[in-house]
Amino acid sequence: MKQWLRKSVVILVSILTFGLVTPAHAIWNENHGVDKAKHQNEASDLKQATTLGSYLSEQQENNRDTIVQKMMMEAEKQSFEKFGEKISPIIEDEFRQVILPKIQDAIEMTIAEYPEEELSSLAITETPSGGVSEKIFHIYNVKTNEDIIRFHVRRDHPPMDGYYFNFHYHTKFDNYQTHYNLGEIYWDKNTPPKWMSV
């Protein structure tokens, strides 16, 4: 018997008996068995899709973690290159303990905003700026040559106080207008040497 006819008979019996009698014969059992098998197949398909989705999500997460690790190695290298031999030994420990973890957080947030297929186009600028310029490094899109996030350090000298290094970053998401503070490291009462001084 065709499935639509079976369903019609089941519905007709239910209507004629006002739902008091439920068909318990071969038509009902056969129809019920088809529905049960269909639900089991759907559940199995959903489980496979979820497993595949979890796997892909895990792969993407691993890929993002790898990119963040590579960027952090380069970020640390660029930072110490910028500090130069005169500043590095004095602020190195505090930079690693306080500022570097915040740089990592900012990089992770930026990477999380990017679609998986575009991650391979992100890179770090190769040289920090010397003298009194603020640039430590930028993360940019190599295809568009557009900066995504800019990491800077500024020399602050509040009145009647010593010198501080103010670490911060800017993002393209607000056209580099907002100053996101990463922290400060105190230098001394004396003027610090220029960046990249040997």
Side-chain angles (χ1 to χ4, degrees):
M1 192 181 283
K2 295 195 178 201
Q3 188 163 349
W4 66 269
L5 187 57
R6 288 182 198 144
K7 287 185 178 183
S8 298
V9 170
V10 169
I11 292 170
L12 185 61
V13 169
S14 295
I15 291 172
L16 290 175
T17 62
F18 301 107
L20 296 174
V21 176
T22 47
H25 46 72
I27 294 172
W28 171 254
N29 290 336
E30 199 173 296
N31 191 34
H32 184 65
V34 168
D35 287 344
K36 186 175 180 182
K38 183 180 173 187
H39 288 301
Q40 285 174 338
N41 287 340
E42 288 173 357
S44 176
D45 290 347
L46 179 62
K47 184 177 180 182
Q48 287 176 347
T50 303
T51 304
L52 179 60
S54 299
Y55 173 75
L56 291 174
S57 176
E58 218 173 89
Q59 291 299 95
Q60 289 172 342
E61 200 58 44
N62 288 340
N63 193 19
R64 288 180 196 280
D65 289 345
T66 302
I67 289 169
V68 168
Q69 287 173 3
K70 287 179 182 175
M71 286 188 172
M72 284 307 298
M73 286 173 29
E74 190 61 29
E76 186 173 357
K77 178 183 161 226
Q78 297 288 339
S79 298
F80 285 108
E81 186 177 329
K82 177 163 183 80
F83 302 155
E85 292 177 16
K86 292 185 178 178
I87 296 175
S88 285
I90 296 167
I91 68 167
E92 178 178 0
D93 291 341
E94 194 171 354
F95 176 77
R96 280 201 168 108
Q97 292 168 5
V98 177
I99 307 299
L100 211 51
K102 292 179 182 177
I103 289 175
Q104 180 168 346
D105 290 343
I107 290 174
E108 286 173 349
M109 284 190 301
T110 302
I111 296 294
E113 296 289 318
Y114 255 75
E116 178 74 16
E117 61 275 4
E118 293 183 34
L119 289 177
S120 61
S121 63
L122 296 181
I124 290 186
T125 53
E126 294 182 11
T127 52
S129 57
V132 292
S133 180
E134 292 186 8
K135 176 186 169 189
I136 305 173
F137 67 90
H138 296 171
I139 295 176
Y140 69 103
N141 184 318
V142 294
K143 292 178 183 172
T144 63
N145 210 27
E146 179 182 34
D147 289 339
I148 307 304
I149 185 168
R150 298 172 176 171
F151 289 92
H152 293 168
V153 58
R154 182 182 66 219
R155 298 158 181 255
D156 286 343
H157 186 212
M160 310 298 289
D161 202 350
Y163 285 88
Y164 291 84
F165 297 132
N166 174 276
F167 294 87
H168 58 278
Y169 67 94
H170 309 275
T171 70
K172 83 164 195 151
F173 304 115
D174 64 359
N175 206 24
Y176 315 106
Q177 296 303 307
T178 306
H179 182 106
Y180 297 97
N181 194 30
L182 295 168
E184 291 183 335
I185 296 178
Y186 179 72
W187 170 254
D188 195 287
K189 295 267 186 202
N190 300 320
T191 306
K194 291 184 177 180
W195 299 120
M196 300 176 77
S197 296
V198 181

